[in-house]
Amino acid sequence: MKVVNLKQAILQAWKERWSDYQWAINMKTFFPKGATWDILNLAGLKGSGEGPAIQLSGISACLASFDDFSRDLCVQALLDIMDMFCDRLSCHGKAEECVGLCRALLSALHWLLRCTAASAERLQEAPETTAPASAEKQLAMCLQRLEKTLSSTKNRALLHIAKLEEASAWGAPPPGSSSPFVCSPAASWTAIEQCLLKLGETLANLSNPQLRSQAEQCGVLIRSIPSMLSVRSEQLHETGFPTVHAVVLLEGTMNLTGETQPLVEQLMMVKRMQHIPTPLFVLEIWKACFVGLIESPEGTEELKWTAFTYLKIPQVLVKLKKYSHGDRDFTEDVNCAFEFLLKLTPLLDKADQRCNCDCTSFLLQECNKQGLLSEASFANLTAKCKADREQAPQLKSSENANIQPNPGLILRAEPTVTNILKTMDADHSKSPEGLLGVLGHMLSGKSPCPLPTAKTASVRALLFDISFLMLCHVAQTYGSEVILSDCSSGAEVPFFETWMQTCMPEEGKILNPDHPCFRPDSTKVESLVALLNNSSEMKLVQMKWHEACLSISAAILEILNAWENGVLAFESIQKITDNIKGKVCSLAVCAVAWLVAHVRMLGLDEREKSLQMIRQLAGPLYSENTLQFYNERVVIMNSILEHMCADVLQQTATQIKFPSTGVDTMPYWNLLPPKRPIKEVLTGVFAQVLEKGWVDSRSIHIFDTLLHMGGVYWFCNNLLKELLKETRKEHTLRAVELLYSIFCLDMQQVTLVLLGHIVPGLLTDSAKWQSLMDPPGTALAKLAVWCALSSYSSHKGQASSRQKKRHREDIEDYISLFPLDDTQPSKLMRLLSSNEDDASILSSPTDRSVNSSLSASQLHTVNMRDPLNRVLANLFLLIASILGSRTAGPHTQFVQWFMEECVDCLEQGSRGSILQFMPFTTVSELVKVSAMCSPKVVLAITDLSLPLGRQVAAKAIAAL
């Protein structure tokens, strides 16, 4: 078969004006059956008896070779041919043919632009009075075809794929072929942009406004092709966003000292998933901060919230500014958010009364300091704030007139803290009294602080004790992670860090009282016991305080055994405990740490003496022979002991009164009602939160306690049961937002349970399919996608401090979901691979070049040893199985909702999204679903960075 036959056929068809049916019949007589069509990339020329089917694969080559645009009749004929297919392209051939169709369409678009530009130049060059009607007619015809081609979303999607194909071997003919009917290398996207630029310059002086407007619209459509999936509509009908509110409350309540970047990424994820406009997004962050200030308990918690609002949140906004895209400036959005905030008069009034100051003005100052507002906006907002606050209720009263406003206190303390840190970084080995003066100032709050006149041994004891107590207090208040050092360099681990990790009781950490860390050198233990029992008071010169702290646990065990066996009387125990707490309070802290671990292992009738010893250690020593700052140190000691003993006292129903003069009571403690099943508490609190529409700090702490007590599966499963019971659509949507924020308590583990156990269990058990009906099924699909996206985007980074404390679930359950050895597929993989009913990626049975379970993640060599990757891969294999099966029901509808939410939340087919775990075969199944039968959906769910991904997308779109 010679190529000249095709040219003769086209000329003959044009002269004789063949119909579609004549074209199809004659083409089949010209060319033999077999692989010739495929080699020449001419499958689209064979035609069909079912309607207009002249396609582009060969015609584009003819177009590319014709550039004499002055021949009006030839141009008109070619435009007429284009008119037959430009808005109804289709291809049901191989994936490679479909990619060829994309390239051909790009070439045709390039030719159309060249033809349009040439027509516009002819029209411009001709004198106005003698402008040939043929030039204007030709320009109108070109623009009409351009508009017709580009108005099709399907065509723009194919052009999008063609643009991405430029990265590969552009226009290279198939091996062994010399066919001229492939895209010209000149038909690149760069050439299209250059043509578009030239056309814009030519049409700028066009006198016909209708043609100029039509050309501008075509230019807009072409320029939108590279980013056709990045345009997102934002929620303009919503004014409150409880997820943002809860995420901020959770961070301020339980992760105050955490890094800002994880919070920024989580907030941006919520913003993208819920399509929240930036001004309302910033407003919601501030609303949550002010609510936190209002409802925080007095004392330390109030100061923590103040620091979070005025120090951390402005830093978060600075980082959010870097994520800002589009024409609107981020400072304008912040200004708009402040305008909205000033209208929330009841909220501002309550915050101002609580803090005894104008909270908004302090926030304005900090945002202005960080460059988040323009000078004009700052001046305008300050004036409005001042005028608004003058109408507010009187802030000053006889009760709070002398109270220092916390925002001002925190902001003024920031440079003081910086100076203290610089002082502590200095070398004090020669003059430790200076460092003791700084620590004493921090401890007592009195300035100037009188330096001690004691000997070096006393100074050394005080430095050890105050620093130990401060570190304990910091660890309990902000999490032990904030004081962990970086030991990757091989440096020696500090004593306190070793003690804290092995001996200090914390939430979620169970200590073994028989652990070797509590059993130091027996000689040192015997010496310490003798010293405590025989001496009237501790000899400071003889003491190595870190050794004493490590030995005290074993010493207490010896003393306790002697007391229980009648060797020691109660009076002796009092003397020993007085010696322990009389000089350095850190010894008492170490002793109680071991006693707490010891009491947990005892029966009810064995705990009496251990608890009594804790009581003895908790009380202060009334003696004149104590070291400096003793009262202040005892106050911190008792606060530390109260936190240490809280769990064990609650479990043993024991009460110990810890003197707390000058120290706040433990906030958010004993929130669970006694003698009530924790499942009832969980469902009851969730019902209250759902009715109210937002999560408060108290509820967050209750949920955190229940999560710790019941475990991740129990917690997640019972909350999802409440979601699936809901039948009101507005309540299910609200429940999703609230559940997502609650799950942020431990998102990684909740996601593993949700996607690895609960959702697969619902999808594979026909008895449970009824629970997946709309609206709860839609809500669960949305929640599952949100959790998957959040966990996958953050699981490569470090876990937050609140999640590190949580007991990790056993990941062995997830190992079975995906093979450790890629050559040995899991049971589910073997099941899917052997399912002959599953649709193949290619139309021909001989074209099974792609395994039914192959996904982009495998081509990207994603680490499948990671539990989350295993769970996601397993879930998408299950989805593929459901879509390929012949059984329809609520579970198939759930899969559709799940995929729709993925598309709605994700950027266009980006590498590294959760959809990379979806098998390529799923695409051809999804487009059979009416709601997913869209070119944009296909582009969104395929990984277009891969050649195979582009082939899959091209095949699916060309068949639509």
Side-chain angles (χ1 to χ4, degrees):
M1 188 273 291
K2 296 182 179 179
V3 172
V4 70
N5 291 346
L6 176 61
K7 293 183 178 178
Q8 292 172 354
I10 293 175
L11 288 172
Q12 185 179 352
W14 175 61
K15 289 177 182 178
E16 298 178 4
R17 302 295 188 267
W18 285 354
S19 67
D20 298 339
Y21 293 99
Q22 286 177 300
W23 174 268
I25 293 170
N26 285 305
M27 282 296 99
K28 290 175 180 177
T29 60
F30 273 117
F31 301 111
K33 295 180 179 180
T36 310
W37 295 94
D38 302 334
I39 294 175
L40 289 176
N41 203 16
L42 299 178
L45 291 177
K46 287 188 285 189
S48 169
E50 300 176 359
I54 298 180
Q55 297 198 5
L56 208 52
S57 297
I59 302 298
S60 62
C62 299
L63 293 174
S65 63
F66 181 85
D67 57 4
D68 188 357
F69 299 111
S70 62
R71 299 168 64 179
D72 294 345
L73 292 178
C74 293
V75 171
Q76 182 176 344
L78 290 172
L79 290 173
D80 286 341
I81 292 176
M82 283 201 68
D83 196 36
M84 299 174 66
F85 60 74
C86 62
D87 63 340
R88 43 186 168 172
L89 289 175
S90 63
C91 178
H92 297 277
K94 297 180 179 179
E96 293 83 357
E97 295 172 359
C98 297
V99 172
L101 177 64
C102 298
R103 292 171 172 166
L105 182 58
L106 185 68
S107 181
L109 176 64
H110 185 217
W111 183 86
L112 259 179
L113 284 172
R114 288 167 55 213
C115 185
T116 306
S119 303
E121 285 178 355
R122 285 179 59 198
L123 186 61
Q124 188 180 26
E125 290 170 358
E128 187 175 347
T129 55
T130 60
S134 60
E136 185 166 346
K137 179 183 178 183
Q138 183 171 306
L139 177 60
M141 288 179 67
C142 289
L143 289 173
Q144 182 184 3
R145 271 60 173 187
L146 267 178
E147 189 175 45
K148 194 173 181 181
T149 302
L150 295 169
S151 61
S152 165
T153 306
K154 177 178 177 178
N155 286 354
R156 295 201 305 277
L158 294 174
L159 288 167
H160 183 86
I161 295 173
K163 177 184 179 299
L164 296 175
E165 275 290 299
E166 285 185 338
S168 59
W170 183 272
S177 169
S178 58
S179 169
F181 303 105
V182 291
C183 275
S184 166
S188 67
W189 190 257
T190 304
I192 295 242
E193 290 177 330
Q194 291 172 350
C195 278
L196 200 58
L197 187 64
K198 181 180 179 183
L199 180 61
E201 294 172 352
T202 306
L203 292 175
N205 301 320
L206 197 66
S207 58
N208 190 324
Q210 182 178 353
L211 292 178
R212 188 169 63 248
S213 172
Q214 195 174 6
E216 290 172 353
Q217 181 61 30
C218 290
V220 170
L221 288 173
I222 292 174
R223 292 188 184 94
S224 70
I225 289 172
S227 58
M228 63 181 298
L229 295 181
S230 61
V231 178
R232 296 183 171 276
S233 59
E234 295 182 330
Q235 287 195 44
L236 301 178
H237 59 283
E238 295 285 343
T239 56
F241 302 94
T243 306
V244 177
H245 187 101
V247 167
V248 174
L249 271 180
L250 179 64
E251 189 77 8
T253 303
M254 309 190 74
N255 197 31
L256 177 64
T257 57
E259 293 290 333
T260 56
Q261 190 59 34
L263 174 61
V264 169
E265 292 174 358
Q266 189 176 27
L267 287 171
M268 282 305 301
M269 177 67 71
V270 173
K271 182 180 186 296
R272 184 168 66 249
M273 291 190 303
Q274 299 187 16
H275 312 302
I276 306 175
T278 303
L280 296 180
F281 176 63
V282 176
L283 173 65
E284 196 67 40
I285 293 174
W286 288 336
K287 283 165 60 179
C289 288
F290 281 176
V291 168
L293 281 172
I294 292 168
E295 65 179 21
S296 61
E298 292 185 6
T300 305
E301 288 296 312
E302 186 180 358
L303 284 172
K304 286 165 61 176
W305 258 108
T306 307
F308 178 77
T309 302
Y310 293 99
L311 296 180
K312 188 169 184 176
I313 287 299
Q315 295 293 331
V316 169
L317 293 177
V318 168
K319 291 193 175 184
L320 287 173
K321 183 179 180 180
K322 298 177 182 178
Y323 288 83
S324 179
H325 300 291
D327 299 330
R328 190 181 178 98
D329 185 21
F330 187 75
T331 56
E332 295 177 13
D333 291 324
V334 174
N335 176 63
C336 186
F338 266 117
E339 295 278 4
F340 290 144
L341 182 64
L342 289 174
K343 295 177 182 178
L344 302 178
T345 306
L347 176 68
L348 300 184
D349 288 348
K350 203 160 187 178
D352 290 355
Q353 289 174 351
R354 173 64 195 274
C355 297
N356 195 28
C357 66
D358 184 353
C359 294
T360 312
S361 65
F362 279 110
L363 191 58
L364 272 170
Q365 292 170 24
E366 287 304 301
C367 289
N368 184 55
K369 189 190 300 182
Q370 298 292 342
L372 296 169
L373 286 169
S374 64
E375 290 299 325
S377 297
F378 175 67
N380 178 50
L381 290 168
T382 302
K384 285 185 176 181
C385 181
K386 184 178 179 181
D388 180 70
R389 293 296 89 195
E390 285 177 354
Q391 307 299 322
Q394 188 67 30
L395 296 179
K396 299 291 182 181
S397 66
S398 56
E399 296 180 0
N400 64 5
N402 297 323
I403 297 177
Q404 175 71 43
N406 282 333
L409 181 66
I410 289 291
L411 295 175
R412 284 199 305 274
E414 189 178 11
T416 304
V417 172
T418 304
N419 291 332
I420 289 175
L421 293 175
K422 287 180 180 178
T423 303
M424 296 180 72
D425 276 338
D427 184 9
H428 296 281
S429 58
K430 295 181 179 179
S431 179
E433 292 82 4
L435 177 59
L436 182 58
V438 174
L439 293 177
H441 179 196
M442 295 171 62
L443 195 64
S444 63
K446 298 176 182 177
S447 180
C449 177
L451 293 179
T453 58
K455 298 179 181 180
T456 304
S458 298
V459 174
R460 187 167 56 86
L462 283 169
L463 286 174
F464 180 89
D465 200 41
I466 295 174
S467 59
F468 186 97
L469 294 172
M470 284 184 170
L471 287 171
C472 280
H473 179 70
V474 168
Q476 288 183 338
T477 306
Y478 303 108
S480 57
E481 289 76 18
V482 300
I483 56 176
L484 291 178
S485 59
D486 182 13
C487 297
S488 57
S489 59
E492 184 181 356
V493 180
F495 154 72
F496 180 81
E497 189 171 329
T498 302
W499 178 85
M500 178 187 68
Q501 291 181 311
T502 56
C503 305
M504 181 176 173
E506 288 184 280
E507 179 189 356
K509 183 165 76 176
I510 305 300
L511 298 176
N512 177 10
D514 297 323
H515 190 275
C517 69
F518 294 118
R519 296 288 179 270
D521 182 11
S522 58
T523 306
K524 294 177 181 178
V525 174
E526 291 173 4
S527 300
L528 182 59
V529 171
L531 191 64
L532 294 173
N533 189 31
N534 300 325
S535 302
S536 58
E537 62 180 38
M538 301 282 284
K539 302 296 183 183
L540 300 181
V541 179
Q542 303 173 2
M543 297 302 299
K544 293 182 179 180
W545 296 109
H546 68 287
E547 291 183 358
C549 286
L550 291 175
S551 303
I552 192 67
S553 55
I556 288 292
L557 176 59
E558 295 292 332
I559 294 166
L560 194 59
N561 286 336
W563 186 19
E564 289 177 342
N565 292 319
V567 177
L568 291 177
F570 180 68
E571 291 75 15
S572 300
I573 298 299
Q574 284 182 312
K575 184 181 74 172
I576 290 172
T577 54
D578 286 348
N579 274 335
I580 291 174
K581 65 188 178 183
K583 295 295 184 183
V584 291
C585 298
S586 47
L587 272 182
V589 172
C590 295
V592 172
W594 179 83
L595 284 167
V596 166
H598 181 65
V599 168
R600 288 180 183 274
M601 304 298 174
L602 300 177
L604 288 174
D605 55 343
E606 301 173 323
R607 298 172 177 171
E608 170 96 29
K609 286 185 168 56
S610 297
L611 292 172
Q612 200 166 352
M613 188 173 284
I614 293 176
R615 287 192 186 92
Q616 291 296 317
L617 289 169
L621 177 65
Y622 299 101
S623 171
E624 296 181 357
N625 192 20
T626 56
L627 297 180
Q628 197 171 5
F629 308 119
Y630 182 71
N631 291 335
E632 290 85 354
R633 287 185 286 129
V634 167
V635 167
I636 295 186
M637 178 191 76
N638 282 315
S639 173
I640 295 168
L641 298 185
E642 186 177 8
H643 279 81
M644 278 186 175
C645 299
D647 278 341
V648 73
L649 294 182
Q650 187 179 40
Q651 293 169 7
T652 58
T654 305
Q655 290 187 348
I656 294 180
K657 184 170 179 59
F658 294 90
S660 55
T661 307
V663 175
D664 313 318
T665 56
M666 289 181 63
Y668 307 114
W669 189 248
N670 288 331
L671 295 177
L672 298 185
K675 297 182 181 179
R676 187 179 174 192
I678 58 174
K679 183 178 178 181
E680 288 184 14
V681 177
L682 180 68
T683 56
V685 174
F686 180 69
Q688 294 172 8
V689 165
L690 186 60
E691 193 65 34
K692 190 163 47 176
W694 54 283
V695 184
D696 56 29
S697 298
R698 184 178 183 277
S699 300
I700 286 176
H701 279 273
I702 293 176
F703 284 127
D704 186 60
T705 303
L706 293 171
L707 174 59
H708 176 63
M709 293 177 67
V712 179
Y713 182 85
W714 174 89
F715 184 79
C716 182
N717 190 44
N718 281 296
L719 284 176
L720 290 180
K721 285 180 181 178
E722 297 303 305
L723 171 65
L724 295 177
K725 289 178 186 176
E726 192 56 65
T727 57
R728 294 165 291 181
K729 187 172 184 178
E730 64 278 5
H731 273 223
T732 58
L733 294 177
R734 185 191 301 172
V736 168
E737 294 181 325
L738 295 172
L739 281 173
Y740 172 82
S741 58
I742 293 167
F743 288 169
C744 286
L745 286 166
D746 199 345
M747 181 59 76
Q748 290 288 324
Q749 293 295 306
V750 166
T751 303
L752 290 175
V753 166
L754 175 63
L755 303 184
H757 293 286
I758 297 176
V759 169
L762 292 169
L763 292 175
T764 54
D765 187 351
S766 58
K768 298 178 181 178
W769 287 353
Q770 195 68 23
S771 63
L772 296 177
M773 298 286 285
D774 190 39
T778 312
L780 178 59
K782 184 184 291 288
L783 179 62
V785 172
W786 287 7
C787 291
L789 290 175
S790 297
S791 293
Y792 190 76
S793 66
S794 63
H795 86 293
K796 294 179 181 179
Q798 292 184 345
S800 66
S801 59
R802 68 172 180 271
Q803 292 186 6
K804 285 179 180 177
K805 291 181 181 179
R806 187 96 48 214
H807 173 64
R808 302 291 90 192
E809 297 290 322
D810 187 357
I811 68 167
E812 290 302 317
D813 290 343
Y814 306 110
I815 291 178
S816 62
L817 297 181
F818 207 93
L820 283 174
D821 181 358
D822 291 336
T823 63
Q824 299 175 356
S826 64
K827 182 179 179 181
L828 180 58
M829 275 190 156
R830 291 196 301 271
L831 176 66
L832 296 180
S833 299
S834 64
N835 188 354
E836 293 302 324
D837 291 333
D838 283 351
S840 173
I841 189 171
L842 303 177
S843 57
S844 170
T846 61
D847 290 330
R848 287 183 174 271
S849 59
V850 180
N851 184 278
S852 61
S853 63
L854 181 64
S855 66
S857 63
Q858 290 165 291
L859 298 181
H860 287 312
T861 61
V862 172
N863 177 23
M864 285 304 173
R865 295 177 182 274
D866 182 273
L868 182 61
N869 292 346
R870 293 172 182 278
V871 165
L872 289 169
N874 183 73
L875 180 63
F876 278 106
L877 283 171
L878 180 59
I879 286 174
S881 175
I882 291 172
L883 288 172
S885 68
R886 298 175 181 177
T887 305
H891 63 308
T892 53
Q893 186 69 55
F894 175 88
V895 167
Q896 176 188 326
W897 292 326
F898 183 91
M899 296 305 301
E900 286 177 353
E901 189 63 28
C902 285
V903 173
D904 192 48
C905 292
L906 288 173
E907 299 294 338
Q908 86 180 55
S910 58
R911 173 176 176 173
S913 73
I914 62 171
L915 286 175
Q916 68 177 312
F917 296 97
M918 180 183 71
F920 287 115
T921 53
T922 309
V923 178
S924 58
E925 295 296 329
L926 277 174
V927 294
K928 297 176 184 177
V929 180
S930 59
M932 306 294 287
C933 186
S934 159
K936 283 191 175 184
V937 169
V938 175
L939 291 182
I941 63 179
T942 50
D943 189 338
L944 301 178
S945 68
L946 293 170
L948 184 56
R950 294 192 292 273
Q951 288 181 22
V952 170
K955 177 174 171 57
I957 293 172
L960 292 177

